[in-house]
Amino acid sequence: MHNYFQQYKFRGDYRVRAVFSTLMQTTVNQLAGDVVLTIPVTASTMVTRGFNQVTGWLTDGLNQVDGLATLVQEKGVAQSQKARQDRMATPQPFKLVMGTERLRQQRVILVDDIYTTGRTMRHAADLIIENGAKSVTGLTLAR
Amino acid sequence: MEKSALYGRQLCLTPDEARDLPAEAQKMVGIQRNGQTLRCNRCGSNLTATMAQLPNQQYYCYQCLNLGRVSTLTSLYHIPEPNEFLNYPTCSWQGKLTSQQAECAERVRTNFEQRGRHLLWAVTGAGKTEMLFPGLAWALSQGLRCALASPRVDVCLELAPRLQAAFQDAEIALLHGRSDEPYRYCQLTICTTHQLLRFRSAFDVLIIDEVDAFPFATNPRLHYAVNQAVKPNGALLYMTATPSRELLRQVRRRQLSISYLPLRFHQHLLPTIKVSLQPHWWRTITRGQLPPCLRRKLTAYAKSHQRFLLFVPRVAQLAQVKAAIERAVPTLNGLTVHSTDPERLEKVQRMRDHQVQFLVTTTILERGVTLPGIDVIVLGADDSIFSTAALVQIAGRVGRSRDRPDGLVWFLCASYARTIKNARRQIKLVNQKGRRLQRAMPIVSSEHSS
């Protein structure tokens, strides 16, 4: 799994999204939520990596639909470079860029690539609940 | 970034990374889009759009990904090679070439002078590296930028200290994928052929050692890299003991000149291959035992402390073979090594330093490695993984020192495969030519070291 993410995220081999795309898509369908959201990547990552690794699994890769966006334009230190203490102390990094009416009383599925401390997931979930969602279910490929 | 880091290079950078580049830096697009076709400007691959696709109509090259991704989001940056070297190194090598070697060396030097394309075909252990010295000395004294590239990292690692010893005042950059050292602009570069993808019109003299080795022979991107890295009017020299048909075809078409040396540096012939048919060698090993003939041999080695390499076809067989040896002859002290072994380089170094008596290995040690006075045993030499060239190269590991110009090359195999026949035939042929040469020129005593 480590090698997979090395190839996919850090080398940027977008082709290997196909390895897990069926698995991720069927799992999302089984969870039967009303809204599917993915954890966004920063704008600077979009410039260097050129894709959101989670959206890559869920869509054919061409249409990037995101309900969430990151607040910070440049990320200082990548989440994967931080120790647990630092990760837990991360402030809310997300903001909502979709209308709240789309979330009201909805069951939301939130998808990310790797779950480590849960900090990222919880921040995003908090934001979604605050905006009126009924429930949030997290789905990650690895932990 | 230092200006010199871009001399003759083509570095793939994002707009962000390229912000403080020197003004001279030229910018080229990473991926060339021509209507429907996509082409990587670094490795020259033609890309399939569906595979190269990123979101938002962006594309990347999936062929040379390991060197950092080239995409429509990045550009290649380049400064034309200025040959900006402060002092030109001189050759401090004290050895002497045999008359045949000197003849080849002279051909190599004139090829550098005339900026031609040349093939140096010399048997394993002929002293190819030494034959480069006169030509390299000339090129370096002229302020030319030179590089010696090989498909194998082991070959590069072995060449670096030898060249450093021969050109003591030269600064040598050693570049390969496993190195952590940052790039340095030097007049002389030793690198793997993959690293050539990072150069553009850089070298006046480019030498490719072991041209027929994997992955160079089968990888069109690496051929592209060679033509890209050498200056348009630069000299190109290929070296090998086992040239491919394609190279020999180029010789026939006179696109490539050739010089040929069938004798080793110590003027002895190549050791011939001994073959034993052992149809059940692998089954015996899986039972934790060694074929009796091999056990006897290894017991003898344990007494005589003779060092040896034992080749097996597959990585998965290494551990079982070593376990069987340890059980049968516990006094032998050895290691296993394969291409993706994280300690590969250290292990080979321990063999060089005489800390272990043997290595069990796959084809990675087939070439470019000089371990003086060793014997070689190949288990399953009829396996399709061993090409004729590989077998000839493996046999060529033996008898590479003046003190022990012969030694045992022993193939244990289930069948007498065509590759084995051809390898024996090739060695026989080369030895015939060598014998003729020996007769024509009675042994010249010379004092150079290998």
Side-chain angles (χ1 to χ4, degrees), chain B residues 307-309 333-335 345-359 365 371 374-375:
Chain B
R307 286 151 24 96
F308 63 98
L309 292 178
N333 167 23
L335 294 168
L345 306 177
E346 292 83 18
K347 284 176 172 176
V348 176
Q349 193 54 45
R350 288 182 64 186
M351 181 73 184
R352 282 191 215 282
D353 298 344
H354 289 250
Q355 288 175 12
V356 290
Q357 195 183 342
F358 72 93
L359 289 179
L365 292 187
L371 297 160
I374 54 159
D375 278 358

Side-chain angles (χ1 to χ4, degrees), chain A residues 7-8 11-17 44 46-52 60-64 74, chain B residues 14-16 19 50-58 60 62-63 65-66 68-69 71 73-74:
Chain A
Q7 185 75 12
Y8 185 40
R11 289 210 177 127
D13 195 353
Y14 195 50
R15 290 175 303 168
V16 302
R17 70 187 187 278
S44 65
M46 240 6 231
V47 170
T48 49
R49 191 184 296 156
F51 60 89
N52 176 332
D60 58 358
L62 294 174
N63 39 346
Q64 300 265 318
E74 302 244 352
Chain B
T14 60
D16 213 34
R19 212 180 288 153
T50 47
M51 282 160 80
Q53 186 176 65
L54 289 172
N56 308 319
Q57 283 80 53
Q58 304 292 329
Y60 75 102
Y62 46 84
Q63 296 284 20
L65 208 56
N66 285 350
R69 194 179 70 177
S71 71
L73 298 161
T74 60

